[in-house]
Amino acid sequence: IVPAQKKKAPDATANSVSELRELTHAAAIAVVQRLRGLFDMQVIDLGGFASAEFVAQVAAASDECLLVCDQAATSIVSALEVARGLRARQLKPKLVVNKVGPGIDPQPLQIAERLELPLAAALPHRHAELLRAVNAGQLLVDTAPQDPYTLALEGLATRLQSGPSAPTPAGVDAPWRRLLARMPFSKA
């Protein structure tokens, strides 16, 4: 008797996008549930998944759903479509506007109003600073802890970990820094 061949599940080292498309939402949710037992917080980037159903199923299994877009009209139009799809499934995403440029319209609050979503964060456009840190093999938090991007991301991470109504006491290190410090590759 020859055992049936099991189909290899796609993993993080998949060589092509087509392999990732084979990932079912049931498999993704099973992974998310397993990781919940290992980590207090998970951040899952579903950008690029064409299946609205896949995104909605994974988002529904999450404690909180963030929709990320930037100030470009194309990004806002895409986010509007995703937001409508999530709301149709009774999900309540919050908005993160990334790469916010000073004096560029529409502003993050205008985008949030257009998408009919609460604004969770506005992350400033800091391409050069992020690139310098990456090219140095470091995190921006290490190279520029007071950078506007670092501070905005720290605020978002604190709100996600603490909940929307629990302020972080002054002088307390950001929860995400403690998490990064436990990782073997981090210098935080």
Side-chain angles (χ1 to χ4, degrees):
I1 299 177
V2 178
Q5 293 290 326
K6 291 186 177 180
K7 188 175 182 180
K8 184 180 173 194
D11 62 8
T13 61
N15 291 327
S16 72
V17 175
S18 63
E19 288 177 329
L20 288 174
R21 287 188 182 125
E22 293 178 22
L23 184 66
T24 65
H25 61 78
I29 291 170
V31 170
V32 169
Q33 296 301 341
R34 176 69 177 125
L35 290 173
R36 281 180 190 243
L38 301 172
F39 300 99
D40 293 335
M41 182 182 289
Q42 303 166 46
V43 177
I44 303 169
D45 182 354
L46 296 175
F49 277 89
S51 169
E53 186 61 30
F54 181 93
V55 171
Q57 291 289 337
V58 175
S62 303
D63 295 327
E64 188 152 4
C65 177
L66 300 175
L67 179 58
V68 180
C69 77
D70 60 39
Q71 290 173 295
T74 53
S75 181
I76 296 167
V77 169
S78 177
L80 180 60
E81 183 178 324
V82 173
R84 285 179 179 157
L86 292 172
R87 279 195 300 266
R89 291 170 175 85
Q90 310 310 311
L91 298 171
K92 298 176 181 175
K94 293 179 183 158
L95 181 65
V96 174
V97 181
N98 193 22
K99 301 178 188 175
V100 174
I104 297 175
D105 287 327
Q107 290 296 307
L109 282 175
Q110 293 170 316
I111 297 169
E113 288 172 8
R114 173 66 181 105
L115 299 179
E116 299 176 5
L117 297 175
L119 182 63
L123 305 177
H125 190 276
R126 304 294 286 169
H127 178 76
E129 292 77 5
L130 288 164
L131 189 58
R132 275 194 283 280
V134 167
N135 287 345
Q138 297 180 334
L139 299 171
L140 187 61
V141 67
D142 293 330
T143 61
Q146 295 302 311
D147 185 88
Y149 185 88
T150 300
L151 296 174
L153 194 59
E154 183 176 279
L156 175 61
T158 299
R159 281 190 299 279
L160 288 174
Q161 185 139 25
S162 303
S165 62
T168 302
V172 174
D173 200 17
W176 65 272
R177 264 189 224 240
R178 291 192 303 273
L179 176 65
L180 285 174
R182 294 191 315 224
M183 295 181 180
F185 63 84
S186 174
K187 296 178 184 178

